[in-house]
Amino acid sequence: MCGRYAASRNPDDLVEEFDIARLVDPDLPPSWNIAPTDPVRMVVERAHDEVQERQLRLARWGLVPSWAKDVKIGSRLINARVESVAEKPAFRRAFAARRCLLPADGYYEWYAQEAGGKQPFFITRRDGRSLAMAGLYEVWRDPAGGPEAPLLWTATVITTTAEDELGHIHDRMPMQVEPDGWARWLDPHVSDPAELHGLLLAAPPGTLEARPVSTLVNSVRNDGPELVEPLAPADEPTLF
């Protein structure tokens, strides 16, 4: 999965869609061009006043493991491959106890054209629902700042091999969790790797659609709903 996605839904709508008990950090503007290290919304299960509840809170995109010496490692850990997520040192602790969902309108991939250049595509659900991208999160404190240093919440997206239709554009795609699996996926007390892997799904064929969009998305300085608008039919590229 390339490192861009869109998340523009109103937080109140996400609270309803994901059955959120508490909205933390409500002030985050919509974005149609989220890039690594940007703040993103995530759904987590956390204890509050000794009661476990489902929360919608902010995190920095790019996982920073608790043992990391500095935050720079996060820019290299925006994705976690499902094939190794339970064993890789950077992810295995989070996979066992700190799992999240990252709501998205859709994500971008770039297709290398035979004539040269890359054509961006926006990939989203056909039914208009949010993509509930499976993710992991960590809470990190800068060791150089001592015990009083602020906590930094960070997250990564779990990816898998792309289905045939989307695999023509890019060979990886985010894993999803369907609504009936959200409670188990988010529950920090569930740790059996086999059960957790069973909750992770690649989108079935026909669930997602990919549409070519403007190269405006290539620059992180550009943002707005025009980035996800499909190209006019005359401008659509020929892929295969």
Side-chain angles (χ1 to χ4, degrees):
M1 176 186 173
C2 288
R4 304 283 181 83
Y5 71 94
S8 66
R9 282 173 167 77
N10 186 293
D12 292 335
D13 294 335
L14 294 176
V15 165
E16 181 176 355
E17 183 177 3
F18 289 90
D19 194 23
I20 301 297
R22 192 160 75 97
L23 173 60
V24 184
D25 306 317
D27 297 326
L28 179 69
S31 177
W32 292 264
N33 200 359
I34 295 172
T37 74
D38 283 349
V40 298
R41 294 197 187 278
M42 67 176 182
V43 179
V44 298
E45 292 272 356
R46 296 284 296 186
H48 179 67
D49 291 336
E50 300 184 354
V51 176
Q52 188 165 297
E53 64 180 13
R54 189 171 297 181
Q55 302 175 1
L56 183 66
R57 59 166 59 239
L58 299 186
R60 185 182 189 264
W61 186 18
L63 195 81
V64 180
S66 58
W67 43 259
K69 294 182 179 180
D70 62 59
V71 74
K72 294 178 182 178
I73 191 174
S75 62
R76 304 194 303 273
L77 299 177
I78 62 170
N79 295 157
R81 297 175 68 92
V82 70
E83 297 89 346
S84 58
V85 68
E87 294 83 28
K88 193 169 183 178
F91 302 126
R92 62 189 178 196
R93 291 182 182 176
F95 185 69
R98 288 179 291 280
R99 298 173 300 274
C100 65
L101 298 171
L102 296 153
D105 304 343
Y107 63 98
Y108 299 95
E109 295 293 0
W110 279 257
Y111 176 75
Q113 302 178 96
E114 290 186 5
K118 293 185 177 181
Q119 171 62 51
F121 281 76
F122 185 63
I123 301 168
T124 186
R125 289 184 66 104
R126 293 183 187 274
D127 61 11
R129 286 170 44 201
S130 294
L131 281 176
M133 300 191 298
L136 310 174
Y137 74 95
E138 284 280 15
V139 184
W140 179 79
R141 192 191 302 272
D142 187 349
E148 301 304 316
L151 296 176
L152 177 68
W153 296 68
T154 64
T156 188
V157 177
I158 299 175
T159 68
T160 188
T161 302
E163 60 174 281
D164 288 345
E165 181 181 354
L166 298 178
H168 289 295
I169 299 172
H170 194 275
D171 63 350
R172 303 294 293 181
M173 66 188 300
M175 297 220 78
Q176 301 180 62
V177 181
E178 289 300 302
D180 61 0
W182 290 352
R184 298 294 288 172
W185 174 251
L186 295 172
D187 188 342
H189 300 107
V190 176
S191 59
D192 178 60
E195 179 179 358
L196 293 171
H197 276 286
L199 297 171
L200 294 168
L201 301 172
T207 303
L208 304 180
E209 64 178 11
R211 58 177 184 255
V213 293
S214 169
T215 54
L216 285 171
V217 72
N218 293 357
S219 172
V220 295
R221 293 188 296 271
N222 297 326
D223 201 351
E226 66 277 7
L227 298 186
V228 301
E229 290 298 317
L231 293 180
D235 297 326
E236 289 187 4
T238 301
L239 294 186
F240 351 99

